[in-house]
Coordinates of all heavy atoms in Angstrom, one line a residue:
L1 N 119.4 135.3 167.7 CA 119.3 134.0 167.1 C 118.4 134.1 165.8 O 118.7 133.4 164.8 CB 118.7 133.0 168.1 CG 119.5 132.7 169.3 CD1 118.8 131.6 170.1 CD2 120.9 132.1 168.9
F2 N 117.3 134.8 165.9 CA 116.5 135.0 164.7 C 117.3 135.6 163.5 O 117.2 135.1 162.4 CB 115.3 135.9 165.0 CG 114.1 135.7 164.1 CD1 112.8 136.0 164.6 CD2 114.2 135.2 162.8 CE1 111.7 135.8 163.8 CE2 113.1 135.0 162.0 CZ 111.8 135.3 162.5
E3 N 118.1 136.6 163.8 CA 118.9 137.2 162.7 C 119.9 136.2 162.2 O 120.2 136.2 161.0 CB 119.6 138.4 163.3 CG 120.4 139.2 162.2 CD 120.9 140.5 162.6 OE1 120.6 140.9 163.7 OE2 121.7 141.1 161.8
V4 N 120.6 135.4 163.1 CA 121.5 134.4 162.6 C 120.8 133.4 161.7 O 121.3 133.1 160.6 CB 122.1 133.6 163.8 CG1 122.9 132.4 163.4 CG2 123.1 134.6 164.6
L5 N 119.6 133.0 162.0 CA 118.8 132.1 161.2 C 118.6 132.7 159.8 O 118.7 132.0 158.8 CB 117.5 131.7 161.9 CG 116.6 130.8 161.2 CD1 117.1 129.4 161.2 CD2 115.2 130.8 161.8
V6 N 118.1 133.9 159.8 CA 117.8 134.5 158.5 C 119.0 134.7 157.7 O 119.0 134.5 156.5 CB 117.1 135.9 158.8 CG1 116.9 136.7 157.5 CG2 115.7 135.7 159.4
R7 N 120.1 135.1 158.3 CA 121.4 135.3 157.5 C 121.9 134.0 157.0 O 122.4 133.9 155.9 CB 122.5 135.9 158.4 CG 122.3 137.4 158.7 CD 123.3 137.9 159.6 NE 123.2 139.4 159.8 CZ 123.8 140.3 159.1 NH1 124.6 140.0 158.1 NH2 123.6 141.6 159.4
A8 N 121.7 132.9 157.7 CA 122.1 131.6 157.3 C 121.3 131.0 156.2 O 121.8 130.5 155.2 CB 122.2 130.6 158.5
T9 N 120.0 131.1 156.3 CA 119.1 130.4 155.4 C 118.5 131.3 154.3 O 118.0 130.8 153.3 CB 117.9 129.8 156.2 OG1 117.1 130.8 156.8 CG2 118.4 128.8 157.3
G10 N 118.5 132.6 154.6 CA 117.9 133.5 153.6 C 116.4 133.5 153.7 O 115.7 134.2 152.9
E11 N 115.8 132.9 154.7 CA 114.4 132.8 154.9 C 113.9 133.5 156.2 O 114.7 133.6 157.1 CB 113.9 131.4 154.9 CG 114.3 130.6 153.7 CD 113.9 129.1 153.8 OE1 113.4 128.7 154.9 OE2 114.2 128.4 152.8
G12 N 112.7 134.1 156.1 CA 112.2 134.7 157.3 C 112.6 136.2 157.5 O 112.4 136.8 158.6
G13 N 113.0 136.8 156.4 CA 113.5 138.2 156.5 C 112.4 139.2 156.9 O 112.6 140.1 157.7
E14 N 111.2 139.0 156.4 CA 110.1 139.9 156.7 C 109.7 139.8 158.2 O 109.5 140.8 158.8 CB 108.9 139.6 155.8 CG 109.1 140.0 154.3 CD 107.8 139.8 153.5 OE1 106.7 139.5 154.1 OE2 107.9 139.9 152.3
A15 N 109.6 138.6 158.7 CA 109.3 138.4 160.1 C 110.3 139.0 161.0 O 110.0 139.6 162.0 CB 109.1 136.9 160.4
L16 N 111.6 138.8 160.6 CA 112.7 139.4 161.4 C 112.6 140.9 161.4 O 112.7 141.6 162.4 CB 114.0 139.0 160.8 CG 115.3 139.7 161.4 CD1 115.4 139.3 162.9 CD2 116.5 139.3 160.6
A17 N 112.3 141.5 160.2 CA 112.2 143.0 160.1 C 111.0 143.5 161.0 O 111.2 144.5 161.7 CB 111.9 143.4 158.7
D18 N 109.9 142.7 161.1 CA 108.8 143.1 162.0 C 109.3 143.1 163.5 O 109.0 144.1 164.2 CB 107.7 142.2 161.8 CG 107.0 142.3 160.5 OD1 107.2 143.4 159.8 OD2 106.3 141.4 160.1
W19 N 110.0 142.1 163.9 CA 110.5 142.0 165.2 C 111.6 143.1 165.5 O 111.6 143.7 166.6 CB 111.1 140.7 165.5 CG 110.1 139.6 165.9 CD1 109.7 138.5 165.2 CD2 109.2 139.6 167.1 NE1 108.7 137.8 165.9 CE2 108.4 138.5 167.0 CE3 109.1 140.5 168.2 CZ2 107.5 138.2 168.0 CZ3 108.2 140.2 169.2 CH2 107.4 139.1 169.1
Q20 N 112.4 143.4 164.5 CA 113.4 144.5 164.7 C 112.7 145.8 164.9 O 113.2 146.7 165.6 CB 114.4 144.5 163.5 CG 115.3 143.3 163.6 CD 116.2 143.2 162.3 OE1 115.8 143.7 161.2 NE2 117.4 142.7 162.5
A21 N 111.6 146.0 164.2 CA 110.8 147.2 164.3 C 110.2 147.3 165.8 O 110.2 148.4 166.4 CB 109.7 147.3 163.3
V22 N 109.7 146.2 166.3 CA 109.2 146.2 167.6 C 110.4 146.5 168.6 O 110.2 147.3 169.6 CB 108.6 144.8 168.0 CG1 108.3 144.6 169.5 CG2 107.4 144.5 167.1
A23 N 111.5 145.9 168.4 CA 112.7 146.2 169.3 C 113.1 147.7 169.2 O 113.4 148.3 170.2 CB 113.9 145.4 168.8
S24 N 113.0 148.3 168.0 CA 113.3 149.7 167.9 C 112.3 150.6 168.6 O 112.7 151.5 169.3 CB 113.3 150.1 166.4 OG 113.6 151.5 166.2
R25 N 111.0 150.3 168.5 CA 110.0 151.0 169.3 C 110.2 150.9 170.8 O 110.1 151.8 171.5 CB 108.6 150.6 168.9 CG 108.2 151.0 167.5 CD 106.7 150.8 167.2 NE 106.3 149.4 167.3 CZ 106.3 148.6 166.2 NH1 106.7 149.0 165.1 NH2 105.9 147.3 166.4
R26 N 110.6 149.7 171.2 CA 110.9 149.5 172.6 C 112.0 150.3 173.1 O 112.0 151.0 174.1 CB 111.2 148.0 172.9 CG 111.5 147.7 174.3 CD 112.3 146.4 174.4 NE 113.6 146.6 173.8 CZ 114.6 145.6 173.8 NH1 114.4 144.5 174.3 NH2 115.7 145.8 173.1
S27 N 113.1 150.4 172.3 CA 114.3 151.2 172.6 C 113.9 152.6 172.7 O 114.4 153.4 173.6 CB 115.4 150.9 171.6 OG 115.8 149.6 171.6
E28 N 113.1 153.1 171.7 CA 112.7 154.5 171.7 C 111.9 154.8 173.0 O 112.0 155.9 173.6 CB 111.9 154.9 170.5 CG 112.8 154.8 169.2 CD 111.9 155.0 168.0 OE1 110.7 155.1 168.1 OE2 112.5 154.9 166.9
A29 N 110.9 153.9 173.3 CA 110.1 154.1 174.5 C 111.0 154.1 175.8 O 110.7 154.9 176.7 CB 109.0 153.0 174.6
T30 N 112.0 153.2 175.8 CA 112.8 153.1 177.0 C 113.7 154.4 177.1 O 113.8 154.9 178.2 CB 113.8 151.9 176.9 OG1 113.0 150.7 176.8 CG2 114.7 151.8 178.1
A31 N 114.2 154.9 176.0 CA 114.9 156.2 176.0 C 114.1 157.3 176.4 O 114.5 158.2 177.2 CB 115.6 156.4 174.6
Q32 N 112.8 157.4 175.9 CA 111.9 158.5 176.3 C 111.6 158.4 177.8 O 111.6 159.4 178.5 CB 110.7 158.4 175.5 CG 109.7 159.5 175.7 CD 108.5 159.4 174.8 OE1 108.4 158.6 174.0 NE2 107.5 160.3 175.1
A33 N 111.4 157.2 178.3 CA 111.1 157.1 179.7 C 112.2 157.5 180.6 O 112.1 158.1 181.6 CB 110.7 155.6 180.0
A34 N 113.5 157.1 180.1 CA 114.7 157.5 180.9 C 114.8 159.0 180.9 O 115.2 159.6 181.9 CB 115.9 156.8 180.3
A35 N 114.5 159.6 179.7 CA 114.7 161.1 179.6 C 113.6 161.8 180.5 O 114.0 162.8 181.2 CB 114.5 161.5 178.2
E36 N 112.4 161.2 180.6 CA 111.4 161.8 181.4 C 111.8 161.7 182.9 O 111.6 162.6 183.7 CB 110.0 161.1 181.2 CG 109.4 161.5 179.8 CD 108.2 160.7 179.5 OE1 107.8 159.9 180.4 OE2 107.5 161.0 178.5
E37 N 112.3 160.5 183.3 CA 112.8 160.3 184.6 C 113.9 161.3 185.0 O 113.9 161.8 186.1 CB 113.2 158.9 184.8 CG 113.6 158.5 186.2 CD 114.1 157.1 186.4 OE1 113.8 156.3 185.4 OE2 114.7 156.7 187.4
E38 N 114.8 161.5 184.1 CA 115.9 162.4 184.3 C 115.3 163.9 184.5 O 115.8 164.6 185.4 CB 116.9 162.4 183.2 CG 118.0 163.4 183.3 CD 118.9 163.1 184.5 OE1 118.9 161.9 185.0 OE2 119.6 164.0 185.0
R39 N 114.3 164.2 183.7 CA 113.7 165.6 183.8 C 113.1 165.7 185.2 O 113.2 166.7 185.9 CB 112.7 165.8 182.7 CG 113.4 166.1 181.4 CD 112.4 166.8 180.4 NE 111.4 165.8 180.0 CZ 111.5 165.0 179.0 NH1 112.6 165.0 178.2 NH2 110.5 164.1 178.7
E40 N 112.3 164.6 185.6 CA 111.7 164.7 186.9 C 112.7 164.8 188.0 O 112.5 165.5 189.0 CB 110.8 163.4 187.1 CG 109.6 163.4 186.2 CD 108.8 162.1 186.3 OE1 109.2 161.3 187.2 OE2 107.8 161.9 185.6
R41 N 113.8 164.0 187.9 CA 114.8 164.0 188.9 C 115.5 165.4 189.0 O 115.7 166.0 190.1 CB 115.9 163.0 188.6 CG 116.9 162.8 189.7 CD 117.7 161.5 189.7 NE 118.2 161.3 188.3 CZ 117.8 160.3 187.5 NH1 116.8 159.5 187.9 NH2 118.3 160.1 186.3
T42 N 115.7 166.0 187.8 CA 116.3 167.4 187.8 C 115.3 168.4 188.4 O 115.7 169.3 189.1 CB 116.6 167.8 186.3 OG1 117.5 166.8 185.8 CG2 117.2 169.2 186.3
G43 N 114.0 168.2 188.1 CA 113.0 169.1 188.6 C 112.9 169.0 190.1 O 112.8 170.0 190.9
R44 N 113.0 167.8 190.7 CA 112.9 167.6 192.1 C 114.2 168.2 192.8 O 114.1 168.8 193.9 CB 112.9 166.1 192.5 CG 111.5 165.5 192.1 CD 111.4 164.1 192.8 NE 112.4 163.2 192.3 CZ 112.2 162.4 191.2 NH1 111.0 162.4 190.6 NH2 113.1 161.5 190.9
S45 N 115.3 168.1 192.1 CA 116.5 168.7 192.7 C 116.4 170.2 192.7 O 116.8 170.8 193.7 CB 117.7 168.2 191.8 OG 118.9 168.8 192.3
R46 N 115.9 170.8 191.6 CA 115.7 172.2 191.6 C 114.8 172.7 192.7 O 115.0 173.7 193.4 CB 115.2 172.7 190.3 CG 116.3 172.6 189.1 CD 115.7 172.9 187.8 NE 116.7 172.9 186.7 CZ 116.4 172.9 185.5 NH1 115.1 173.0 185.1 NH2 117.4 172.9 184.6
S47 N 113.7 171.9 192.9 CA 112.7 172.3 193.9 C 113.4 172.3 195.3 O 113.2 173.2 196.2 CB 111.5 171.3 193.9 OG 110.8 171.5 192.7
R48 N 114.2 171.2 195.6 CA 114.9 171.1 196.9 C 115.8 172.3 197.0 O 115.9 172.9 198.2 CB 115.6 169.8 197.0 CG 114.8 168.6 197.2 CD 115.6 167.4 197.6 NE 116.5 167.0 196.6 CZ 116.2 166.1 195.7 NH1 115.0 165.5 195.7 NH2 117.0 165.7 194.7

């Protein structure tokens, strides 16, 4: 919705960019956590 607003009005672009950066860091953290969980799951499987 924030992006729709900025595209419509042309205002708030900097604030939107800040939030998109937060979303990007969240996605990277989520991907990293998923990768670590997969490595742990693989390690447990090898141990078994």
